[in-house]
Amino acid sequence: MTSCYVVHEAPVRRVAIFGGTHGNELSGIFLVKHWQENGAEIQRTGLEVRPFITNPRAVKKCTRYIDCDLNRVFDPDNLGRHMIEDIPYEVRRAQEINHIFGPKDSDDAYDLIFDLHNTTSNMGGTLILENSRNNFTIQMFHYIKNALAPECCPVFLIEHPNLKYATARSIAKHPVGVEVGPQPQGVLRADILDKMRKIIKHGLDFVHIFNEGKEFPPCTIEIYKIMEKVDYPRNKNGEITAVIHPSLQDQDWQPLNNGDPIFLTIDGETINYEGDSTVYPTFVNEAAYYEKKQAFVKTVKVKLTAKGIRSSLS
Amino acid sequence: MAASCRLKPLSSVAVSGGTHGNEMSGIYLAKHWLRDPMELRRGSFAVTPFLGNPRAIEKCERYVGQDLNRTFTTELLSSTEAEDEPYEVGRAREINQTYGPKGSAQAFDFMFDLHNTTANMGACLIVDSEESLLPMHMCHYIQTHYKWSPCRIYLYKLPGEETYSIDSVAKAGLALELGPQPQRVVRADLFAQMRALMACALDFIELFNKGTVFPAFEIEAYKITGRMDYPRYPNGEISAMVHPKLQDKDFLPLHPGDPVFQTFSGEEIVYKGDTTIYPAFINEAAYYEKKVAFAKMEKHTFSIPGLQRE
């Protein structure tokens, strides 16, 4: 059956699952290591699924990164930099990864990469979308959300002129970020690992069903679109002078309105949110973002529609 | 009933924040007190705040060379300075010089040490043993006067083991361990709780110094009997996680046959001990490398004699 509302997409044959892009986010690391020993769970007929540790040196030291954040250096400048002696470890590694799974923006690049992360924020099982026009990924997220319902599966769109960052997964034609929290750095929680595992299972099921020829009609999902980063209040020495307010702590994805508390100073003074409209904060009190000057990120709720899709080989 | 024990009033008291450079409640508190020590003053004494491990704090890591809070053994403190020694060995000697020497008459009367844990331990008061009279009385006072949440007492010294923690430099000490909090994160609620616990502890010292008679009492405390590692593969990597039924159940009874670990294939591993224990430090991030999935504790009730100042 052909319909002008259905886009024919190439089947997805080459899939990678990245763990350890940050070496202290343990769920992805242990899942990938387990799947490298026993990959039965991630196999689907008709596709190759390759589990891969992206930052092995950081994983060995159980630290986020060695020289710089691997998940920020997959931009054309860094990927194209010539290999000189004092190149940061993660830039060299990004080039290697681009060679294996890319090259980024070419036809040879992998079709789909799942990049597994944890956060200290109370974000639950969040799916990260890079491109609001990627019908395949939006359809996948719709499928995963339905499969996990009534459990919530927020979708976070990081498309933004300056806030979007060059992720490891962006090498692929269809990049998918999986961010599960709250989990402390360096800790492996069974419940968080299980949540991540279920997301991957449903994601791979979707790919398989899609490849087999099922037509997915147009769909609409509610997503949270990134608007702005908010830093901690700081003094002139750059030191933090207030912490996330108890009313905002753990309230990722909950509405934040003008006048609601956001920070608490050491003297007990409350600092309130000032804004024209309701926003939905996320990455609230993420450990790794203190150095990136990010106390939380403001998002707005948006409805995103994907066209119907069907594999072009069916 | 035995008469009260009498101890000298406390005059030299110190508090360390950042003995571990990524445990943020104590670091933020100590930095605040270094700027404004008002809260640390009482009529009869004042507390000296300091940053336990400044280099680790700067890097926001637990330690730079080795765990500072395991470095206060007699052997390490009396070792001669060597060029390639870990930073923390030199730092421990400095701390011992300023607040000790450990075991001597010149040592500080009391030291507080502020910590966070990723384990669900709530507000935990860590003392070396039930025989430390002053700290036990302080814990009892805190338990009866600190109303925000229950405080449990954790006795950390195994029989025959030497003390090695920073607060063992002083004549008596107490560590405050608050969790759960991820490393490198400041939670406003735990920060406020730690601050309130310190205020309560200082109230106790003030009352003690002023001559209050503290009668004998019975108190429940958890005493360590051992540590349980994760199951591991031959290459040393962990082969199972803390079981979901044990996760976050610090200080709750664990019976023989109860699940403790879950493998990555979903198999359950049960506790094979003989008796009920009370696990603590369940899934503490810093303990994976120390090969500790949780500490095994026994619940005891101790009779503590009365106390007043000389």
Side-chain angles (χ1 to χ4, degrees):
Chain A
M1 167 199 149
T2 43
S3 156
C4 54
Y5 297 102
V6 174
V7 174
H8 282 89
E9 295 258 355
V12 167
R13 298 287 181 212
R14 292 155 84 220
V15 179
I17 303 179
F18 285 174
T21 298
H22 296 133
N24 52 13
E25 295 176 12
L26 298 194
S27 308
I29 292 165
F30 280 88
L31 275 172
V32 162
K33 286 186 176 184
H34 174 67
W35 289 331
Q36 284 174 334
E37 291 304 305
N38 185 351
E41 182 186 337
I42 54 169
Q43 293 318 310
R44 301 288 187 279
T45 45
L47 57 139
E48 167 209 328
V49 182
R50 185 170 170 183
F52 186 80
I53 296 286
T54 41
N55 196 337
R57 274 187 64 192
V59 167
K60 193 152 187 218
K61 290 186 85 180
C62 198
T63 188
R64 182 177 176 85
Y65 56 78
I66 303 295
D67 295 325
C68 63
D69 192 332
L70 180 63
N71 214 27
R72 300 290 184 277
V73 295
F74 284 80
D75 54 279
D77 281 344
N78 274 307
L79 290 178
R81 249 159 99 172
H82 288 300
M83 303 276 260
I84 45 170
E85 265 197 36
D86 55 354
I87 197 171
Y89 166 72
E90 277 81 10
V91 173
R92 183 187 300 270
R93 186 64 183 151
Q95 292 178 358
E96 279 168 23
I97 292 167
N98 192 39
H99 184 72
I100 301 169
F101 297 98
K104 181 168 167 171
D105 296 327
S106 78
D107 284 333
D108 291 333
Y110 262 57
D111 299 310
L112 168 63
I113 295 175
F114 293 99
D115 190 18
L116 306 182
H117 288 265
N118 292 117
T119 173
T120 58
S121 305
N122 188 26
M123 288 167 73
T126 290
L127 298 170
I128 305 185
L129 181 65
E130 305 221 342
N131 178 350
S132 59
R133 289 197 205 79
N134 187 320
N135 294 304
F136 178 83
T137 315
I138 296 166
Q139 288 278 3
M140 178 195 288
F141 287 5
H142 178 252
Y143 179 90
I144 295 174
K145 279 165 78 75
N146 275 4
L148 290 176
E151 210 178 303
C152 260
C153 196
V155 174
F156 180 34
L157 174 65
I158 60 166
E159 189 176 64
H160 188 282
N162 1 329
L163 295 178
K164 185 168 178 178
Y165 42 95
T167 58
R169 59 188 177 264
S170 68
I171 295 174
K173 293 166 189 145
H174 307 298
V176 171
V178 180
E179 186 85 53
V180 189
Q183 179 170 271
Q185 298 170 341
V187 164
L188 187 64
R189 286 184 65 104
D191 53 359
I192 296 287
L193 185 131
D194 190 60
K195 194 172 282 203
M196 188 178 273
R197 201 171 199 161
K198 286 195 167 89
I199 289 173
I200 293 299
K201 173 204 149 36
H202 294 307
L204 291 175
D205 286 346
F206 172 82
V207 175
H208 176 66
I209 295 169
F210 166 78
N211 283 349
E212 297 280 285
K214 183 179 157 98
E215 181 173 307
F216 291 89
C219 69
T220 300
I221 55 170
E222 193 173 72
I223 61 116
Y224 297 90
K225 185 183 154 99
I226 192 170
M227 298 304 286
E228 196 187 339
K229 295 179 349 178
V230 179
D231 190 13
Y232 292 94
R234 292 176 190 266
N235 62 22
K236 43 187 191 306
N237 298 334
E239 292 166 334
I240 288 173
T241 54
V243 298
I244 295 284
H245 195 278
S247 300
L248 178 59
Q249 180 67 52
D250 303 330
Q251 300 306 307
D252 301 68
W253 308 122
Q254 302 307 313
L256 181 71
N257 296 301
N258 185 49
D260 288 347
I262 49 174
F263 296 114
L264 185 66
T265 72
I266 199 134
D267 304 315
E269 195 191 307
T270 294
I271 296 169
N272 296 321
Y273 174 59
E274 280 168 23
D276 303 322
S277 54
T278 302
V279 293
Y280 296 82
T282 194
F283 278 117
V284 177
N285 211 348
E286 160 55 50
Y289 288 177
Y290 283 59
E291 72 174 22
K292 295 198 199 299
K293 304 196 181 316
Q294 196 170 309
F296 64 94
V297 167
K298 294 196 296 201
T299 74
V300 287
K301 247 201 268 200
V302 167
K303 282 201 180 350
L304 210 58
T305 297
K307 295 191 168 78
I309 59 168
R310 189 180 178 148
S311 164
S312 56
L313 281 188
S314 52
Chain B
M1 174 87 66
S4 286
C5 297
R6 287 182 184 261
L7 292 176
K8 287 201 182 70
L10 306 186
S11 59
S12 51
V13 181
V15 56
S16 170
T19 299
H20 295 134
N22 54 12
E23 294 176 13
M24 305 307 292
S25 308
I27 292 168
Y28 273 68
L29 268 174
K31 285 187 173 180
H32 168 64
W33 290 327
L34 284 166
R35 286 189 295 262
D36 181 1
M38 271 283 297
E39 246 163 77
L40 295 181
R41 288 203 190 114
R42 293 289 188 277
S44 62
F45 71 104
V47 185
T48 309
F50 70 100
L51 295 175
N53 193 337
R55 274 185 60 186
I57 291 169
E58 221 174 302
K59 300 183 94 184
C60 210
E61 297 285 348
R62 182 180 175 85
Y63 57 80
V64 175
Q66 69 181 54
D67 190 335
L68 179 63
N69 214 26
R70 301 290 184 275
T71 307
F72 292 85
T73 58
T74 318
E75 188 190 336
L76 284 171
L77 290 174
S78 56
S79 60
T80 41
E81 192 177 324
E83 250 197 56
D84 57 349
E85 69 181 14
Y87 163 74
E88 279 82 8
V89 174
R91 179 63 185 144
R93 272 196 229 102
E94 265 171 31
I95 291 169
N96 193 39
Q97 203 166 24
T98 313
Y99 303 102
K102 177 170 169 172
S104 75
Q106 295 78 44
F108 261 53
D109 294 322
F110 203 92
M111 188 182 297
F112 292 97
D113 187 23
L114 308 180
H115 287 269
N116 292 113
T117 173
T118 58
N120 187 29
M121 289 167 70
C124 189
L125 310 174
I126 304 186
V127 181
D128 54 352
S129 104
E130 69 278 9
E131 291 168 13
S132 297
L133 187 62
L134 191 85
M136 289 306 288
H137 268 269
M138 183 182 285
C139 289
H140 184 238
Y141 181 86
I142 293 172
Q143 277 185 339
T144 48
H145 289 83
Y146 175 80
K147 291 304 176 193
W148 292 29
S149 64
C151 288
R152 292 170 189 115
I153 298 166
Y154 180 114
L155 304 173
Y156 82 79
K157 205 159 79 80
L158 279 166
E161 212 181 38
E162 193 196 341
T163 56
Y164 46 70
S165 61
I166 194 171
D167 60 355
S168 69
V169 163
K171 296 191 180 99
L174 178 72
L176 304 185
E177 184 84 56
L178 263 61
Q181 180 169 273
Q183 297 170 344
R184 301 191 186 88
V185 163
V186 189
R187 285 186 64 102
D189 51 5
L190 291 188
F191 178 83
Q193 283 179 40
M194 192 176 267
R195 203 174 184 176
L197 281 165
M198 274 300 292
C200 209
L202 301 193
D203 288 346
F204 166 80
I205 297 176
E206 179 71 355
L207 285 167
F208 169 75
N209 282 356
K210 289 259 154 81
T212 306
V213 177
F214 294 95
F217 58 90
E218 295 224 312
I219 192 166
E220 196 175 81
Y222 297 85
K223 196 169 170 75
I224 193 169
T225 57
R227 300 172 180 101
M228 172 81 89
D229 189 13
Y230 292 92
R232 288 176 189 271
Y233 292 120
N235 70 0
E237 286 197 0
I238 64 167
S239 58
M241 310 171 273
V242 169
H243 196 280
K245 291 205 172 112
L246 176 60
Q247 180 68 51
D248 302 333
K249 304 290 200 293
D250 299 71
F251 298 115
L252 292 178
L254 180 73
H255 308 291
D258 285 349
V260 280
F261 297 112
Q262 185 179 73
T263 70
F264 300 108
S265 311
E267 285 144 41
E268 205 172 80
I269 296 171
V270 301
Y271 177 56
K272 295 183 185 68
D274 300 322
T275 55
T276 296
I277 54 157
Y278 296 80
F281 283 114
I282 299 173
N283 211 345
E284 159 54 51
Y287 286 1
Y288 282 63
E289 70 173 21
K290 293 193 200 300
K291 303 194 183 316
V292 177
F294 58 88
K296 297 191 277 192
M297 319 291 289
E298 274 173 2
K299 206 175 6 177
H300 293 274
T301 303
F302 295 109
S303 295
I304 308 295
L307 174 72
Q308 65 180 117
R309 62 162 282 180
E310 278 173 6

